[in-house]
Amino acid sequence: MFSHDLNRAVNAAVSLFPTFHNLSENRKAVLCNMAFNMGRGLSAFAIMLRAVNEERWNDAADAMLQSRWAGQVGDRAKRLAAAMRGET
């Protein structure tokens, strides 16, 4: 079941981020983590999606932290935003 869910998350991330395969492993992990949690609901993060696709990592991280999702997942959002910025 986990493999199925993970594959679905990876496929969702790939479909939302055309440059997914060119991203660092940490950024891929962030996007897959979020897609695993939200599925295609990740598509609602329009500002973050645009920032990632334009390689504006700080803007992407800021958008993550300013979302309702960040309030729901707490410290996890901070860790993932740091990885998006390239701090980990």
Side-chain angles (χ1 to χ4, degrees):
M1 288 173 46
F2 174 74
S3 291
H4 178 265
D5 290 346
L6 179 60
N7 285 335
R8 188 170 29 175
V10 171
N11 289 335
V14 168
S15 72
L16 292 170
F17 301 97
T19 62
F20 181 84
H21 295 293
N22 297 328
L23 299 176
S24 70
E25 293 304 313
N26 284 344
R27 290 184 176 119
K28 287 179 189 177
V30 168
L31 299 174
C32 288
N33 186 308
M34 293 178 74
F36 189 89
N37 182 238
M38 292 179 274
R40 297 279 306 161
L42 184 57
S43 65
F45 283 66
I47 294 169
M48 186 202 73
L49 268 71
R50 189 174 325 114
V52 168
N53 287 326
E54 294 174 0
E55 298 183 2
R56 294 183 290 113
W57 312 122
N58 289 330
D59 292 340
D62 290 345
M64 291 165 62
L65 293 174
Q66 294 168 4
S67 70
R68 186 175 61 198
W69 164 83
Q72 294 169 343
V73 301
D75 285 340
R76 182 170 142 225
K78 293 175 187 172
R79 287 190 307 274
L80 293 177
M84 181 62 72
R85 289 184 204 283
E87 297 172 0
T88 59

